[in-house]
Every structure is written in structure tokens, then in C-alpha cells.
Amino acid sequence: MAYWWVNHKQTRDHEVRGGYLWSPYRNTNGAFNQTYENMKLVSPGDIVFSYAHGRIGAVGRVTEAASPSPKPIEFGNVGDYWAHEGRFVKVAYQDTRRPLRPKEHIDAIGPMLPNRYSPLQKNGDGNQGCYLAGISDALGHVLMALLGMDQVREFDQLPRYVINQEPNAQVLNDIQRIESDTSIPETQRLQLTRARIGQGVFRTRVILLDKACRVTGVTDTRLLIASHIKPWREANNAERLSGYNGLLLSPHVDALFDEQFISFEDSGRMLVHSSLSRDVLERWSIDPSKQVERFRPEQTTFLAHHRELFARKATSG
């Protein structure tokens, strides 16, 4: 296990809420940047201190090593000058009980900072040229103590995702077709493969938009499925990776939505297929008259497509 310090003032909210790190391969001018290269050295189980706006406000444990990834679309205009391709590391963050301002402890921290590629300047301010810095175990333990955290044991009980769907024959066939399509860049092939099973960049983008299952209200994202609104087989590659083409749903709700037994109006009104037994809805505690949160304008085109499939099922049903 290693300790890392990430400076991500501009993208902190996206990365902490989305549970990841992202950096381009190189500097804007194409120059080598060791703190970007450090993304390749991160391993599952490592600890990451999140530093932004002069304080450490979250600490995370790495759950997946780096993989090629396009720049997250949620960054918007932030980082327009960054290259589009880079590396993505999955991190499970926890907010600290109280933020730590390293500058207030620079006398204790300063001697333990790395001589090269330090995340802080000598005066205790952040080093803007440093993204991800490796720090010593000694400094890692000091930071945990200053944060009032019980070393790393608080992260030892972080469970993995409970939802782990077994790919069926259609999914496996789709993945094989993606992997064999050399017209798609390698980074996009990897993200499309993960998106096909509701993981990777697609899942992260959906989580950034939705914080809970709209029907059940469950907020623990480990228990929720990132479901495509416009089905994979009918979407183009951009739509397959778009967070707006996704919903976070509880597994039983996802099963109904995926098979078009339920759908939604843009207003949030639920539509229920006439063949769906009310006994199923009662046993699964689904209220067919429930008005869920209104959908975003960017989602309406995808929902319109889903309602078309719902209508066809209702006609043939």
C-alpha cells in the first residue's frame, strides 16, 4: 500500500463525487509530467489525500488501477487546454470529519514532503504544477493522525459493489464486436466495453447526475445499477457513454425498465405496462402512481425513444 496526494482544485468536486482521478498523459505543450505518470503507479488499496482550496477534505482508497480514458465530459470548460486523452483511476472517497489545512502544520509536514514533485510549496501553499504526488508512509500516517482518522482501518471495511451482473450471450457478443472494431480508438473501446455492463466512465457520469434510484429512493450507489435509457443495441457510441442516457436504478426496478414493463414521462410520471401484475408491484413496493423527479432536458430524447419501445410492447403485449 502506498500514499498519494492529489491537487485537484479545478476538478475536485467532479472527481470526489464521481469517485475517480483523471489526468492527461502530458502537459499542454506535450512535455513529460511525472505527476501525470504517477497515475500508472497507483494500485488498488492505495490511499489518496484529496487537496483543494488549501485543505484536505476527503481521503480515498484506490479500487481500480489506471486505464486509458477520454477527458470526463463533466469537466465542461475546465481544462479546455488539456489533451482529450488521459488516464482514469477509480477511487472510493470519504469526507473527512474535519478539513485539514496543511499550511497550518507546515512545520511538521514540511520536512517530510518529497524533494521533487512536492504537492506543496515551501510556504505551505499548493503546487499548481503538481497533480498526483507520491508521499512517504511517514507523512501518510501523520496526515491521518492530523485528520483524526484511525490510520487506514476506516477504509478496510469498504465493501465492493454488491451488484455484479453476469453478462449474458448478447452482452458478450456486443463486447466481442467492440474489441474487434479497430476503427474505434483503444481508449474508447475500453470505455465502451465497461459501459456495456454499466461500469467505467458511463457509470461515473450517471452517478454524477443521479444520487439515488428515482423509484425506491435508495442512495447507496453500490446497490444500484447504471441502466441505459436508450438501449445499447440502438444507441451510437456517443450515446452509449453519455451520462444523460442513464438512470441509477435499484435492481428490481432496472429489470422492469430494461424490459419496458415501466417507462416515464418527461415530467416524472410512471407508465406501467398493462401485462405487469399489480401483485409484482405490491411485493416490490413500487407505487405505480408515484411521481418521480422531473427529468433533465438532455434526457428527454432518450426517454422518448424508451417510450416508443414501451408503446410497441403495450401494443404487442
Side-chain angles (χ1 to χ4, degrees):
M1 184 190 76
Y3 289 93
W4 302 91
W5 177 313
V6 60
N7 288 340
H8 52 175
K9 177 180 179 180
Q10 292 178 288
T11 58
R12 188 267 183 195
D13 289 345
H14 294 303
E15 292 184 281
V16 171
R17 284 172 48 210
Y20 64 92
L21 299 170
W22 185 88
S23 79
Y25 289 128
R26 290 182 174 269
N27 286 340
T28 307
N29 61 3
F32 175 87
N33 186 322
Q34 181 60 54
T35 69
Y36 292 161
E37 288 295 302
N38 284 342
M39 293 280 281
K40 296 193 300 183
L41 306 178
V42 171
S43 298
D46 289 355
I47 300 297
V48 178
F49 295 95
S50 164
Y51 176 86
H53 308 291
R55 65 183 190 175
I56 295 174
V59 182
R61 185 185 285 280
V62 175
T63 58
E64 292 181 17
S67 60
S69 169
K71 183 172 66 176
I73 57 173
E74 58 269 19
F75 283 6
N77 294 329
V78 174
D80 275 346
Y81 48 87
W82 290 331
H84 182 69
E85 301 295 335
R87 298 186 182 94
F88 180 96
V89 171
K90 194 72 177 171
V91 182
Y93 291 100
Q94 290 186 22
D95 289 332
T96 60
R97 296 191 188 107
R98 61 179 185 275
L100 171 68
R101 295 189 178 277
K103 189 171 184 176
E104 296 176 357
H105 304 273
I106 194 62
D107 290 343
I109 293 173
M112 289 183 280
L113 289 169
N115 294 324
R116 299 184 67 193
Y117 313 117
S118 173
L120 293 182
Q121 302 176 50
K122 291 182 179 180
N123 64 2
D125 291 335
N127 182 356
Q128 294 184 358
C130 174
Y131 176 67
L132 184 66
I135 60 175
S136 67
D137 290 357
L139 178 53
H141 289 303
V142 167
L143 292 174
M144 293 295 264
L146 290 172
L147 286 164
M149 306 182 79
D150 185 19
Q151 300 299 326
V152 297
R153 287 195 290 276
E154 294 190 13
F155 295 93
D156 290 341
Q157 302 305 315
L158 284 176
R160 297 178 181 274
Y161 289 124
V162 175
I163 301 304
N164 186 18
Q165 295 174 297
E166 187 72 22
N168 58 32
Q170 181 63 55
V171 171
L172 293 174
N173 182 58
D174 289 342
I175 291 174
Q176 185 177 20
R177 290 169 63 185
I178 293 168
E179 292 298 324
S180 61
D181 189 348
T182 56
S183 67
I184 304 174
E186 179 185 358
T187 54
Q188 191 177 37
R189 288 204 304 271
L190 177 61
Q191 295 306 330
L192 285 169
T193 298
R194 292 185 172 185
R196 185 62 184 93
I197 56 175
Q199 294 295 331
V201 167
F202 170 71
R203 179 181 177 85
T204 297
R205 289 172 177 173
V206 175
I207 289 173
L208 284 169
L209 295 171
D210 279 355
K211 300 299 182 292
C213 171
R214 288 175 180 262
V215 176
T216 65
V218 171
T219 58
D220 191 336
T221 57
R222 295 167 299 167
L223 308 177
L224 302 178
I225 292 173
S227 180
H228 283 88
I229 301 173
K230 184 176 182 179
W232 176 274
R233 60 186 176 275
E234 300 182 30
N236 60 39
N237 286 341
E239 292 171 334
R240 290 166 175 172
L241 293 176
S242 171
Y244 293 115
N245 187 25
L247 295 176
L248 272 185
L249 298 174
S250 296
H252 59 302
V253 180
D254 171 71
L256 298 177
F257 186 77
D258 189 56
E259 294 296 328
Q260 293 92 44
F261 280 112
I262 64 171
S263 190
F264 298 98
E265 297 284 0
D266 296 346
S267 64
R269 184 172 73 89
M270 187 186 300
L271 305 174
V272 180
H273 193 273
S274 58
S275 70
L276 184 61
S277 169
R278 289 303 186 268
D279 181 62
V280 171
L281 297 177
E282 290 176 7
R283 290 179 181 275
W284 280 354
S285 300
I286 296 176
D287 179 2
S289 64
K290 181 180 178 67
Q291 180 87 15
V292 306
E293 183 181 349
R294 186 177 187 86
F295 291 90
R296 294 175 172 82
E298 297 89 346
Q299 295 175 299
T300 56
T301 300
F302 299 120
L303 281 170
H305 187 90
H306 192 272
R307 287 195 297 270
E308 288 181 15
L309 299 179
F310 174 87
R312 286 183 221 161
K313 188 181 187 75
T315 302
S316 62

